[in-house]
Amino acid sequence: MAYMIQVDFKMNGPFGDEMADAFSDLAKSINEEEGFVWKIWTENAETNEAGGIYLFESKESAEKYLDMHRKRLEGFGIPEVNGKIFGINTKLTEINKGPIKS
Amino acid sequence: MAYMIQVDFKMNGPFGDEMADAFSDLAKSINEEEGFVWKIWTENAETNEAGGIYLFESKESAEKYLDMHRKRLEGFGIPEVNGKIFGINTKLTEINKGPIKS
């Protein structure tokens, strides 16, 4: 069963194209993570926040990734991370065309 | 340009099929909201939390929806809502197969 991760944290940039250049190798590596389906990279240059919305194939793979990602962000100098894992209500999500098929 | 909303809040259920029965009419109405593209309905019966991840066509439509939704949740007896709007880093999201096409 698929699970979501939502992550956000304070970051003073880079955003936009500069962020894409800085993190494209990291993005490619995320495609190789166990159970990974997709990620939407989020950013807000006005509030100095960034993060991601992820779909994983299972709760276990989502938990494993979030643990690793928290440590990675701490290594980037970002100790405070809002990170939550959620199950998905499939019936309601199907009504609203949510892209949860892997 | 597309924008995400992430929303979560404390809720003592219902979850699962019972949640789907309770909110299917609400879900149908969300399809009619201005600028709405999709919603993934999130739930966690262990932590008594629920919420949603949304894609909207513009920042303005996302802001308008989140304002309305906060008031609706307050009407449901849920005064404290974590709600954030984010832009999307398109280049990184494309690498990670994020479903942001409307």
Side-chain angles (χ1 to χ4, degrees):
Chain A
M1 194 188 284
Y3 276 75
M4 305 296 303
I5 305 177
Q6 62 184 53
V7 170
D8 62 85
F9 44 83
K10 286 282 177 186
M11 188 180 88
N12 296 318
F15 299 107
D17 283 350
E18 204 184 332
M19 181 187 184
D21 289 342
F23 295 113
S24 65
D25 284 344
L26 178 60
K28 286 170 197 160
S29 80
I30 292 171
N31 285 333
E32 307 305 317
E33 297 289 348
E34 184 189 331
F36 173 80
V37 184
W38 54 251
K39 174 181 179 181
I40 296 172
W41 289 68
T42 55
E43 59 175 32
N44 188 337
E46 290 171 27
T47 60
N48 282 319
E49 290 176 293
I53 305 293
Y54 303 72
L55 185 68
F56 274 82
E57 288 173 357
S58 68
K59 188 177 183 182
E60 292 68 29
S61 57
E63 287 174 340
K64 188 176 167 189
Y65 180 84
L66 182 56
D67 285 347
M68 180 278 293
H69 191 42
R70 281 185 187 280
K71 288 175 189 134
R72 179 162 62 194
L73 288 165
E74 198 171 345
F76 290 167
I78 300 168
E80 284 184 44
V81 175
N82 301 313
K84 288 188 179 184
I85 293 171
F86 282 104
I88 295 170
N89 192 296
T90 308
K91 285 185 183 176
L92 292 170
T93 297
E94 283 175 355
I95 293 172
N96 289 139
K97 301 164 276 182
I100 55 170
K101 302 291 182 210
S102 54
Chain B
M1 193 187 285
Y3 276 74
M4 306 295 304
I5 307 177
Q6 61 185 55
V7 170
D8 62 85
F9 45 81
K10 287 281 177 185
M11 187 180 86
N12 295 319
F15 298 107
D17 282 351
E18 204 184 333
M19 181 189 185
D21 289 343
F23 295 113
S24 64
D25 284 344
L26 178 61
K28 287 170 196 159
S29 81
I30 292 171
N31 284 332
E32 308 305 317
E33 296 290 347
E34 184 190 332
F36 173 80
V37 183
W38 55 250
K39 174 181 180 182
I40 295 171
W41 288 68
T42 55
E43 59 174 32
N44 188 338
E46 291 170 27
T47 60
N48 281 320
E49 290 176 294
I53 305 294
Y54 303 72
L55 185 69
F56 274 82
E57 288 173 357
S58 67
K59 189 176 182 183
E60 291 68 29
S61 56
E63 287 173 341
K64 188 176 167 190
Y65 180 84
L66 182 56
D67 285 347
M68 179 279 292
H69 191 42
R70 281 186 189 280
K71 289 176 188 131
R72 180 163 62 193
L73 287 166
E74 197 172 344
F76 290 167
I78 300 169
E80 283 184 47
V81 175
N82 301 313
K84 288 188 178 183
I85 293 171
F86 282 103
I88 295 170
N89 191 296
T90 308
K91 286 184 183 177
L92 293 171
T93 298
E94 284 175 355
I95 293 172
N96 289 138
K97 301 163 276 182
I100 56 171
K101 303 290 183 209
S102 53

